[in-house]
Amino acid sequence: MIWNTDYECLDRTGLSRHQGERLGRLIDVLYRRVPFYRKKMDAGGVKPRDIQGIDDIVRLPFTTKEEMREVYPYGLLAVSQQEIVEIHTSSGTTGTPVVDAYTAGDIEVWAEVMARTLSAGGTGRHDIVQNAYGYGLFTGGLGVHYGARRIGATVIPISGGNTKRQLALMRDFKSTILACTPSYSLYLAEAAREEGLDPARLGLKAGFFGAEPWSESMRGEIQQQFGVLAIDIYGLTEIIGPGVAMECEHQKGLHINEDHFYPEIIDPSSGTVLPDGQKGELVITTLTKDGTPVLRYRTRDITYLDRATCACGRTTARMHRVLGRTDDMLIIRGVNVFPSQIEEVILKVKGIEPHYQLIVERRNQLDELEVQVEMNESLFSDEIRNLERIEKTIEADLYATLNIHTKVRLVEPKSIARSEGKAKRIIDKRQL
Ligand code: DLL
């Protein structure tokens, strides 16, 4: 279902004109009201009058997470504080949090793009949305909430965690839609089976999963276990939260809500804009945000763009599912390794559960990567010889994909910690 055909299916010439107009207005405001951006534009020798259309965006400076942290808490505000109705921040686990301050108009836009997101996976007003993203400063909970309300669906604002209760409510209220991180959905499926419930018979029809990287194999696992359409949804606090991009029922890339968020792909080392189809770092400009607008934000997420019209009829650019981040990329003996590549390989193996952890150590100046993968109960009861054979097979498959030697260790069922939000997959002991 397409929520807003006027914008989601707008022809590309109309869309570019629209984006250009919105960018022009944004730059005027930023130059006048936000000293942080005025300084950056002055330093780059660019004035608002230089921005005549969307193609002129390349003349504007990038914004990084570090810069946003430096002006914490209110340095990016483009309106007076009285106009702000809600504030969210990133978790701040790796430093000062970044702030997203919303005006009433920004919340309207958020509800609109989240209504588009949930509609793209078939959510309608008769649906019951079990919202297991965390409510609070994290944007997942309220973002999904506003979208579901806009559609007129019923929301169960259970938030993350409390797994037994999740299952009880899912069963009692007959939830049809699940929204949570992909890793948590698999934990829910496991917990359901432990209670003698078949996840596929809970009656869910679709799930909206994001906030962390996941692979095509993991999608297969979730779809099969719950019998749902598993939709990938993408977003980040700095821009708005979820609602930046989402898959449609064709699952061929995530449609970017381009009338609000202008995407570019750059080479992360040189900053040069790359053509469609080439992998690089996603950069986003908020075209309509009033509270804390962001100019050419370097997301550190790696993907590529496709501007061909999709079979669903949407004309918006699609981004490939996030391939990794420039900063969660592991460099093992000089080779770039993304956890998602490893996930893709290990989840294809029979008897393996979708729970794993990557442990990196440095011994004698050499990086070593150990991949710990959980076995299911039946594999666990297999002969040691057979388990060793499987470990060797996975090591060979990983070598074929990554070109580096890894140590694969099959670990006991349920021994890897489960997460209720974003999963922590990497333990890098080299930095200790
Ligand atoms: O995770 C917003 C969100 C909530 C998105 C609910 C989707 C669903 P942050 O906590 O600021 O915001 O984290 C943003 O998470 O830069 C990506 O690296 C990662 N991420 C988000 N969605 C996806 C996804 C929310 N679908 C950071 N696939 C982003 C891969 C994702 N990575």
Side-chain angles (χ1 to χ4, degrees):
M1 279 189 283
I2 302 181
W3 178 254
N4 187 336
T5 42
D6 285 354
Y7 282 106
E8 294 181 82
C9 306
L10 189 60
D11 67 274
R12 291 218 62 91
T13 324
L15 184 58
S16 298
R17 198 180 50 234
H18 208 72
Q19 290 169 327
E21 285 163 12
R22 288 180 164 179
L23 180 68
R25 274 203 297 276
L26 170 74
I27 297 303
D28 270 342
V29 169
L30 290 184
Y31 197 78
R32 275 187 290 117
R33 300 207 198 137
V34 189
F36 169 80
Y37 283 115
R38 185 167 51 239
K39 271 190 229 138
K40 279 170 78 79
M41 285 173 61
D42 285 344
V46 50
K47 293 273 177 273
R49 63 170 179 276
D50 299 327
I51 307 304
Q52 297 296 327
I54 194 67
D55 294 340
D56 295 324
I57 198 165
V58 294
R59 307 179 66 168
L60 294 163
F62 293 116
T63 307
T64 63
K65 196 183 194 93
E66 290 72 34
E67 287 173 318
M68 289 178 93
R69 283 177 169 157
E70 278 163 24
V71 295
Y72 173 88
Y74 280 133
L76 289 183
L77 227 61
V79 295
S80 76
Q81 182 269 317
Q82 289 151 32
E83 285 181 69
I84 298 299
V85 299
E86 190 167 315
I87 288 176
H88 288 265
T89 74
S90 64
S91 63
T93 40
T94 54
T96 316
V98 290
V99 181
D100 194 353
Y102 305 68
T103 62
D106 293 334
I107 298 284
E108 288 295 306
V109 170
W110 203 11
E112 156 76 20
V113 290
M114 283 309 294
R116 292 184 194 177
T117 299
L118 296 170
S119 298
T123 313
R125 38 192 300 271
H126 301 294
D127 281 303
I128 299 173
V129 180
Q130 179 140 347
N131 188 5
Y133 281 114
Y135 277 65
L137 288 172
F138 178 58
T139 53
L142 280 162
V144 168
H145 190 95
Y146 292 138
R149 289 292 314 276
R150 175 60 56 90
I151 287 176
T154 307
V155 199
I156 302 181
I158 183 163
S159 194
N162 223 333
T163 305
K164 276 194 183 345
R165 193 156 180 226
Q166 297 273 359
L167 295 169
L169 292 196
M170 211 178 272
R171 191 193 49 211
D172 298 346
F173 289 111
K174 303 194 169 33
S175 309
T176 52
I177 304 288
L178 174 63
C180 63
T181 56
S183 56
Y184 189 53
S185 79
L186 287 171
Y187 180 27
L188 279 169
E190 179 180 83
R193 281 194 307 274
E194 273 169 14
E195 293 198 6
L197 292 169
D198 175 0
R201 301 186 66 169
L202 283 165
L204 291 172
K205 65 178 200 197
F208 293 84
F209 306 109
E212 65 184 7
W214 53 310
S215 63
E216 220 29 68
S217 315
M218 191 147 179
R219 188 213 301 276
E221 189 82 35
I222 297 172
Q223 296 200 141
Q224 191 238 324
Q225 294 210 25
F226 283 104
V228 291
L229 179 71
I231 295 286
D232 192 359
I233 69 173
Y234 170 84
L236 55 165
T237 316
E238 293 85 333
I239 300 300
I240 195 166
V244 174
M246 72 288 174
E247 285 180 329
C248 63
E249 70 277 18
H250 296 284
Q251 302 175 315
K252 292 259 161 56
L254 290 85
H255 290 275
I256 301 177
N257 286 306
E258 257 193 280
D259 48 327
H260 296 286
F261 314 111
Y262 185 76
E264 299 170 272
I265 298 290
I266 61 163
D267 174 334
S269 39
S270 67
T272 317
V273 178
L274 299 174
D276 288 354
Q278 273 195 36
K279 263 186 233 167
E281 179 179 352
L282 176 67
V283 168
I284 303 176
T285 299
T286 62
L287 295 174
T288 51
K289 190 159 147 182
D290 293 326
T292 43
V294 190
L295 204 53
R296 302 190 87 199
Y297 180 65
R298 294 191 56 162
T299 64
R300 303 186 192 179
D301 291 319
I302 303 199
T303 182
Y304 57 88
L305 296 182
D306 177 1
R307 272 175 243 254
T309 301
C310 178
C312 68
R314 288 180 184 81
T315 48
T316 42
R318 276 169 288 160
M319 58 183 260
H320 186 271
R321 66 160 63 245
V322 173
L323 294 159
R325 283 178 58 80
T326 52
D327 54 3
D328 83 357
M329 181 178 78
L330 286 166
I331 304 183
I332 308 287
R333 278 170 260 147
V335 178
N336 296 352
V337 176
F338 289 105
S340 56
Q341 291 176 293
I342 296 178
E343 181 179 305
E344 192 69 48
V345 171
I346 55 186
L347 295 194
K348 287 198 179 121
V349 182
K350 213 166 149 264
I352 294 299
E353 290 290 311
H355 305 288
Y356 64 94
Q357 214 153 39
L358 310 177
I359 295 151
V360 194
E361 276 183 277
R362 181 161 287 173
R363 284 205 194 97
N364 304 326
Q365 307 303 322
L366 262 192
D367 297 331
E368 289 183 4
L369 173 61
E370 178 172 293
V371 181
Q372 295 187 351
V373 204
E374 229 179 76
M375 300 176 262
N376 65 16
E377 293 289 350
S378 83
L379 185 59
F380 184 47
S381 56
D382 217 327
E383 284 176 31
I384 297 278
R385 209 159 18 115
N386 198 20
L387 299 184
E388 283 172 356
R389 194 183 49 78
I390 294 175
E391 285 175 343
K392 293 283 167 255
T393 314
I394 304 178
E395 282 171 6
D397 290 349
L398 285 173
Y399 185 77
T401 308
L402 307 171
N403 238 318
I404 53 163
H405 290 288
T406 52
K407 168 98 195 78
V408 171
R409 203 150 70 79
L410 294 174
V411 297
E412 283 180 31
K414 319 247 156 70
S415 59
I416 289 176
R418 305 293 190 253
S419 85
E420 293 168 350
K422 300 187 191 232
K424 181 162 169 40
R425 308 256 192 229
I426 302 173
I427 301 175
D428 195 339
K429 297 188 176 164
R430 291 174 301 183
Q431 288 151 6
L432 297 178

